[in-house]
Amino acid sequence: MIGFFNAFTKITGWPVQFICFRTKTYYEDKLRQNRCIRGPAILICNHTSVFDYAVLMFVFFSRTLRFQMAELLFRKRGLGTLLKMLGGIYVDRNSHDVGCIAKSEAILRKGGIIGVFPEGRLPKEGESRPLPFKSGAAYLALSTGAPIIPVYTNGCYFKKKRAKVIIGVPIDASDCIDHDMTERENIQRVTDAMRKRVIELGELLDEYGE
């Protein structure tokens, strides 16, 4: 049912999103990762706007993205229902409930795609971007073996300039670990590697956009 509703939303919403975003997609290495994702994966992206999810949903048109989303969004009448129908994963940032991690892990083991904004929230004015990354995506990658696909968006929505997104080469979390370190230390190593890659993609997108 979630897959059907995603397909319906993408088909009917395509003209609207084209007008609002006019997204241009770039690639770090198109041969190694393009817009077609095969098998399970963890999609990570910098967070610029509540519309980031909508943009990525259309960039990766052929797959259903099950994004982790903050409780605040689900509490909005109408929007919360829509997000549930699209397969959004409820994340309560004010509790220690790990239900979202368990649900995400189950989806990955069934071959699905989990989307995560590792910053955990939108940056406030004056804050350095991207914010420090949370460790949930790194934990999922190490526990399931799913590749991490880094993405960067310029967040240029509803403007004369086009939205620009760059898709990076997948990260294998196992390449980042040190067997002499603890699990927690290795999760942090993977988390740091993820943030570094997203920053590098942002710099690369700036070069492509010149």
Side-chain angles (χ1 to χ4, degrees):
M1 189 65 180
I2 289 175
F4 172 81
F5 191 73
N6 266 266
F8 175 80
T9 302
K10 290 175 182 178
I11 292 172
T12 57
W14 180 265
V16 177
Q17 69 86 30
F18 182 79
I19 294 172
C20 295
F21 307 134
R22 297 184 298 118
T23 308
K24 182 172 178 59
T25 306
Y26 298 84
Y27 307 89
E28 181 182 16
D29 186 338
K30 194 173 183 178
L31 294 178
R32 295 178 64 185
Q33 185 59 62
N34 52 34
R35 295 171 65 173
C36 181
I37 302 176
R38 296 178 175 83
I42 301 165
L43 188 72
I44 64 168
C45 185
N46 62 308
H47 206 8
T48 70
S49 164
V50 294
F51 295 102
D52 293 335
Y53 164 62
V55 170
L56 295 176
M57 181 172 67
F58 286 98
V59 168
F60 297 97
F61 192 87
S62 64
R63 293 293 300 273
T64 296
L65 307 183
R66 304 290 301 277
F67 257 86
Q68 295 181 359
M69 300 177 179
E71 75 292 335
L72 182 64
L73 298 175
F74 285 93
R75 292 171 184 168
K76 295 182 181 294
R77 183 175 299 179
L79 177 60
T81 301
L82 174 63
L83 295 179
K84 287 179 182 178
M85 295 177 70
L86 288 170
I89 300 171
Y90 183 98
V91 179
D92 189 344
R93 297 171 296 177
N94 301 312
S95 76
H96 298 290
D97 181 16
V98 294
C100 65
I101 296 295
K103 186 172 184 177
S104 298
E105 192 169 355
I107 291 169
L108 288 169
R109 295 194 184 283
K110 291 179 180 179
I113 300 177
I114 293 297
V116 182
F117 296 112
E119 292 168 89
R121 64 173 175 83
L122 291 171
K124 299 177 182 178
E125 186 176 353
E127 287 186 314
S128 178
R129 304 186 182 199
L131 299 173
F133 279 15
K134 305 293 184 182
S135 61
Y139 170 82
L140 286 171
L142 289 172
S143 65
T144 65
I148 303 166
I149 301 177
V151 179
Y152 185 92
T153 174
N154 69 349
C156 191
Y157 314 141
F158 304 98
K159 299 178 181 180
K160 291 183 179 180
K161 292 183 178 180
R162 299 180 65 175
K164 295 180 180 180
V165 171
I166 183 168
I167 302 171
V169 172
I171 301 168
D172 185 340
S174 64
D175 291 339
C176 303
I177 65 173
D178 183 334
H179 294 286
D180 292 327
M181 292 186 171
T182 65
E183 179 183 24
R184 177 175 292 183
E185 290 172 331
N186 277 317
I187 289 174
Q188 188 58 53
R189 281 175 63 90
V190 176
T191 301
D192 293 341
M194 287 168 21
R195 186 172 184 272
K196 180 182 178 183
R197 292 291 292 111
V198 169
I199 291 173
E200 290 172 345
L201 287 176
E203 294 170 347
L204 187 58
L205 184 60
D206 287 340
E207 295 178 11
Y208 286 167
E210 293 177 354

